[in-house]
């Protein structure tokens, strides 16, 4: 096989393999991941308020995570917005209701418990 043709075949096979391994998700799964991301962001705000340098670790890792999951997050966002319209609430009210309880518990946690929860946030986003 000619080197140029061989390289083309290898490239096509690589592209096929990458496409075949791409994750296919449902709108409900995208919605769940979108809501989880919003919850993790809310937790990160609590962590940043009480733990020095937490934001410096979280922000760049979360940005990378968002870029990697951009398409899924767009679908999840659209799903949540559609739900909000059906429920006759704003998107802000829907998100606030979904994250309020978790953040209130974290705000009341001791520093030791909070540090463990914040470590879990960093693990989720891939910062550690």
């Amino acid at each position: 096989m000619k080197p140029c043709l061989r390289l083309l075949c290898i490239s096509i096979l690589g592209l096929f393999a990458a496409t075949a391994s791409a994750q296919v998700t449902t709108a409900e799964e995208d919605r769940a991941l979108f809501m989880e991301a919003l919850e993790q962001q809310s937790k990160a705000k609590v962590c940043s308020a009480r733990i020095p340098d937490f934001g410096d670790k979280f922000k760049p890792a979360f940005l990378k995570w968002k870029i990697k999951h951009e398409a899924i997050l767009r679908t999840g966002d659209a799903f949540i917005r559609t739900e909000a319209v059906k429920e006759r609430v704003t998107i802000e009210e829907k998100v606030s209701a979904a994250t309020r309880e978790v953040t209130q518990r974290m705000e009341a946690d001791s520093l030791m418990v909070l540090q463990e929860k914040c470590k879990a946030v960093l693990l989720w986003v891939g910062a550690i």
Side-chain angles (χ1 to χ4, degrees):
M1 186 180 283
K2 292 184 180 179
C4 186
L5 184 58
R6 183 170 184 252
L7 184 59
L8 178 62
C9 288
I10 291 170
S11 296
I12 291 171
L13 287 173
L15 181 61
F16 177 74
T19 304
S21 68
Q23 186 178 7
V24 177
T25 58
T26 66
E28 290 82 7
E29 290 169 328
D30 294 353
R31 176 205 182 279
L33 185 61
F34 180 77
M35 290 304 289
E36 186 174 1
L38 292 175
E39 186 176 294
Q40 295 299 331
Q41 269 187 295
S42 295
K43 289 177 180 180
K45 287 178 186 176
V46 175
C47 295
S48 294
R50 292 185 55 199
I51 298 176
D53 301 327
F54 180 87
D56 295 337
K57 295 175 187 172
F58 178 80
K59 287 177 186 177
F62 188 67
L63 180 59
K64 287 180 187 176
W65 184 92
K66 279 176 52 176
I67 291 168
K68 181 178 176 183
H69 296 90
E70 183 179 1
I72 291 172
L73 293 174
R74 269 197 310 270
T75 305
D77 178 58
F79 197 99
I80 294 296
R81 288 181 186 280
T82 301
E83 284 182 342
V85 168
K86 287 179 183 176
E87 296 168 7
R88 296 191 169 131
V89 296
T90 67
I91 187 75
E92 292 80 10
E93 290 169 326
K94 187 162 182 69
V95 169
S96 177
T99 60
R100 184 180 312 119
E101 187 178 326
V102 170
T103 55
Q104 286 176 342
R105 282 194 313 254
M106 284 182 73
E107 289 168 347
D109 284 335
S110 69
L111 185 58
M112 184 184 301
V113 171
L114 181 69
Q115 286 173 330
E116 287 303 311
K117 289 181 178 181
C118 294
K119 182 178 177 181
V121 170
L122 293 175
L123 283 169
W124 181 88
V125 80
I128 56 174

